Amino acid sequence: MAIAGGRSVRWLFNLVRPQSARVLVVLAASGLASALSLAPPWLTRFLIDDGLIGRRIDLVAWYCAAILGAAVAAALVGAFNRWQYLTLSSRVLFGLREAVFAHLQSLPPTFFSGRSTGDVMARLDGDVAEVQRFAVDTLLAAVNSVLVLAGTLAAMAALCPSLLLPAFILLPVQVAITRLMRARIGILTRKVRERSTQLTAFLVETIGAMKLVQAVGAAPREQARLVQLNRYFLGDLRRAEMAGFAVGAIPSLLNGVAAGIVFLIGGTFVMKGSLSVGALIAFVSYLGRAGGPVNTFLGLIIAQRRAAVSLDRLAEILDEPPAVMNPAEPRRLPSEAKGEIVLDGVHFAYPGCPSLFSDVQAILPAGVKVGIVGASGAGKSTLIDLLHRHYDPEAGRILLDGCDLRSLDLTQLRRRIAVVAQDSPLISGTIAANILYAAPDASAEEVIRAAVAAEIAHLGLDTPVAERGASLSGGERQRLAIARALLQDPLVLILDEATSAIDRETEQRIARTIDRLFANRTRIIISHHAEVLADADRILELTPTGFAERRIGSAA
Ligand code: ADP
């Protein structure tokens, strides 16, 4: 298990450490609340022995007032504690989620194509919450329990030391049962988490593909799949919950047995006159309270296993290496950068796959318009991913204005090379918000200019765009992505089948506008439409052994 390696535990510790001041405040407040909760049985003893049996109504009144005072103080401290605790707990939860999310943002497209969105969501949500519960709730409860248990034991020892042994005689049995159940709970917990992941993955996928589901009449089939997944989930959840319940219930039952033993033995002491009735009642009352912390400790053994399962599932994401690293001391692009691209012996293969292409050589001078063609699956989009440094070439290098891409700041590089893909992602928000996404500081006039150039302005800049652009047509989505790239003011503009859903006439108009606006920028265009590439300066065909020069006019 990854947790055994300690890396994930260290990671967790580093996230909790910044909150240590608040942890101390919460601990102090809960310590105080616990101390206050220990007072009533002690006061009850005197209330019974001195007040009731001694027939002193004034003492009864005083002790009642003291018990009430302790309860009010405990409630006030409890309220303060809840507030502090909520802040602490949320900060740890958000810190965990932000750390995983930050790591996710550094991962390559291969990671996301290899996993379902639901799987990642389930880890980011359910597993993060499980780990947080352990890191905050359980550990705080455990520390708190030490205080309560110490106070309770001290009070019990002061009341009647010879009853201590019978009171805790069953403790080793309780510990043994809990330890026995631990491994089983671990296995069941993993199953439940995986079932819950399957459910989330199913929902995310089906909702995303709802139109297809409806179009092919698959709704009853999908409904049946949900029912089946729910049934599996309930089965595993039931087994896990029952195991968890048994772990909690058996020790509680044994606590009851211990109270019985104490009453029996303590009763003989009372009858012999060596123990007062009040002291026996106070002792049993403390024994009941000791059950809470003991159960918390026993629960800790189980909670640790549950958290380990979730921590492992998060570690599977955190251990995923980013495909590219930002250089420690990035070079800046020269201020007179123009957008010259050199591909020098570039070789690439996806992990575990045969080589996609090798020895790709090309010098694309700044300002040229280059068409890239090749069979479907030849690796054209992959080549674009290399230009955007989603991956690095396995051999060879790519230079932008003389700088190896690996030496440049990643963000700067990606800002200067704008890529418009066939299906560029859109965000929910307005048309304007989508255009501004890559250049949030642009002015309103610049947004309008980009929208007009991409022929999207007539839709209205304030028109809302649904999630993933569902409220727009394919052509409108592509034009919106083109407007976004135009506003980015890149050195290199890459259009990867970016106008495939736009009618020929509009496509050519947009192409002319782009050529006018980007006359001196490098343009790389992947397209199956010969007309789009008709006025390209060069056309290169991507083959497994590199680029082959093609005649203009023979592109598609
Ligand atoms: P093109 O754009 O020329 O159609 P792509 O670059 O999209 O080709 O894909 C090239 C090949 O690499 C295809 O066979 C595709 O299945 C494969 N491929 C693409 N992405 C991945 C990936 N993330 N993992 C493994 N193989 C991939």
Side-chain angles (χ1 to χ4, degrees):
M1 266 197 185
I3 196 167
R7 208 187 77 85
S8 3
V9 175
R10 261 197 313 281
W11 169 78
L12 180 59
F13 178 70
N14 283 337
L15 280 167
V16 178
R17 199 170 47 186
Q19 309 300 330
S20 26
R22 205 173 285 270
V23 171
L24 289 179
V25 171
V26 173
L27 277 178
S30 46
L32 185 58
S34 307
L36 286 168
S37 74
L38 287 174
W42 197 260
L43 294 168
T44 310
R45 172 206 174 170
F46 292 112
L47 188 144
I48 294 173
D49 289 346
D50 301 352
L52 295 178
I53 297 177
R55 295 181 169 275
R56 290 273 311 273
I57 194 67
D58 57 328
L59 286 182
V60 172
W62 272 114
Y63 285 122
C64 281
I67 290 170
L68 183 68
V72 170
L76 290 177
V77 175
F80 170 79
N81 200 25
R82 179 63 65 94
W83 176 266
Q84 293 294 334
Y85 164 78
L86 187 71
T87 315
L88 168 68
S89 176
S90 327
R91 288 204 178 149
V92 171
L93 177 69
F94 301 157
L96 277 164
R97 193 172 286 147
E98 284 159 17
V100 180
F101 186 65
H103 187 73
L104 277 174
Q105 295 200 68
S106 74
L107 294 180
T110 37
F111 173 83
F112 297 96
S113 57
R115 268 168 200 278
S116 68
T117 312
D119 176 280
V120 179
M121 296 281 293
R123 289 169 202 249
L124 205 53
D125 189 20
D127 288 303
V128 161
E130 190 70 51
V131 169
Q132 174 263 354
R133 259 198 296 280
F134 178 74
V136 182
D137 296 21
T138 316
L139 290 182
L140 274 182
V143 175
N144 206 21
S145 296
V146 173
L147 301 174
V148 177
L149 198 57
T152 313
L153 284 177
M156 288 163 88
L159 287 167
C160 184
S162 39
L163 277 179
L164 275 180
L165 183 65
F168 291 105
I169 196 133
L170 293 174
L171 190 58
V173 183
Q174 293 170 314
V175 173
I177 291 174
T178 310
R179 290 187 69 90
L180 265 178
M181 296 295 286
R182 192 176 121 103
R184 180 161 166 71
I185 298 244
I187 295 167
L188 291 172
T189 304
R190 184 168 261 278
K191 272 200 178 154
V192 171
R193 300 268 355 118
E194 281 163 4
R195 288 284 181 220
S196 144
T197 300
Q198 276 177 357
L199 257 174
T200 316
F202 166 81
L203 291 174
V204 169
E205 191 176 82
T206 326
I207 292 169
M210 194 50 83
K211 214 168 169 186
L212 170 70
V213 172
Q214 293 166 338
V216 301
R221 220 160 57 219
E222 295 301 348
Q223 194 68 31
R225 256 177 81 195
L226 177 62
V227 170
Q228 183 70 297
L229 283 173
N230 274 338
R231 197 171 295 144
Y232 288 146
F233 181 66
L234 179 62
D236 283 335
L237 185 65
R238 223 186 250 146
R239 276 186 284 279
E241 286 291 308
M242 287 322 287
F245 175 76
V247 168
I250 296 172
S252 295
L253 198 68
L254 294 178
N255 255 358
V257 176
I261 296 174
V262 166
F263 262 125
L264 263 180
I265 302 175
T268 62
F269 294 168
V270 171
M271 286 171 200
K272 274 191 235 151
S274 59
L275 189 68
S276 70
V277 175
L280 178 60
I281 289 175
F283 189 95
V284 175
S285 169
Y286 279 122
L287 177 61
R289 276 164 201 245
V294 167
N295 281 349
T296 304
F297 277 126
L298 297 176
L300 193 63
I301 299 175
I302 301 299
Q304 188 270 343
R305 181 48 56 100
R306 283 207 182 108
V309 168
S310 286
L311 207 46
D312 272 354
R313 283 164 50 85
L314 289 179
E316 281 165 23
I317 291 184
L318 294 167
D319 288 344
E320 198 69 41
V324 297
M325 299 295 273
N326 211 10
E329 286 177 22
R331 276 177 73 176
R332 290 205 69 75
L333 274 172
S335 53
E336 71 284 2
K338 292 280 189 305
E340 180 203 61
I341 289 177
V342 175
L343 299 152
D344 180 14
V346 174
H347 175 111
F348 186 78
Y350 281 106
C353 298
S355 159
L356 192 55
F357 45 72
S358 54
D359 200 28
V360 177
Q361 302 274 3
I363 298 176
L364 310 179
V368 289
K369 177 174 176 179
V370 181
I372 294 185
V373 296
S376 174
K380 302 179 293 296
S381 300
T382 305
L383 193 66
I384 304 310
D385 280 346
L386 290 175
L387 282 169
H388 239 194
R389 257 202 104 202
H390 287 301
Y391 315 104
D392 283 331
E394 302 213 321
R397 53 193 192 135
I398 304 177
L399 309 177
L400 175 62
D401 286 310
C403 303
D404 190 323
L405 297 191
R406 282 173 282 221
S407 67
L408 294 171
D409 175 66
L410 255 184
T411 310
Q412 194 199 19
L413 165 74
R414 289 174 180 170
R415 284 188 66 91
R416 300 319 305 272
I417 299 183
V419 177
V420 187
Q422 184 169 13
D423 200 7
S424 286
L426 298 181
I427 51 161
S428 46
T430 58
I431 299 248
N434 270 281
I435 299 178
L436 273 166
Y437 195 72
D441 298 328
S443 68
E445 291 76 49
E446 288 169 318
V447 174
I448 293 171
R449 217 176 305 139
V452 169
E455 303 199 14
I456 197 82
H458 64 280
L459 287 181
L461 290 178
D462 293 328
T463 305
V465 175
E467 201 179 65
R468 291 193 297 270
S471 54
L472 300 178
S473 76
E476 286 164 348
R477 282 203 294 273
Q478 290 191 336
R479 280 180 279 159
L480 186 44
I482 290 172
R484 180 158 72 200
L486 296 180
L487 191 62
Q488 207 176 323
D489 190 25
L491 288 172
V492 180
L493 177 68
I494 299 174
L495 303 178
D496 181 357
E497 298 286 358
T499 48
S500 58
I502 301 174
D503 65 273
R504 295 295 162 90
E505 211 174 298
T506 314
E507 181 184 40
Q508 282 179 4
R509 243 189 354 258
I510 292 177
R512 278 198 296 277
T513 311
I514 289 175
D515 285 340
R516 184 168 47 79
L517 292 175
F518 286 79
N520 51 0
R521 314 284 172 91
T522 312
R523 282 147 292 155
I524 298 177
I525 294 156
I526 298 175
S527 177
H528 284 111
H529 297 168
E531 321 75 278
V532 177
L533 302 177
D535 59 348
D537 299 309
R538 287 171 76 184
I539 293 187
L540 301 170
E541 179 178 1
L542 185 60
T543 72
T545 50
F547 273 143
E549 200 88 32
R550 289 273 298 266
R551 256 181 328 107
I552 312 269
S554 62

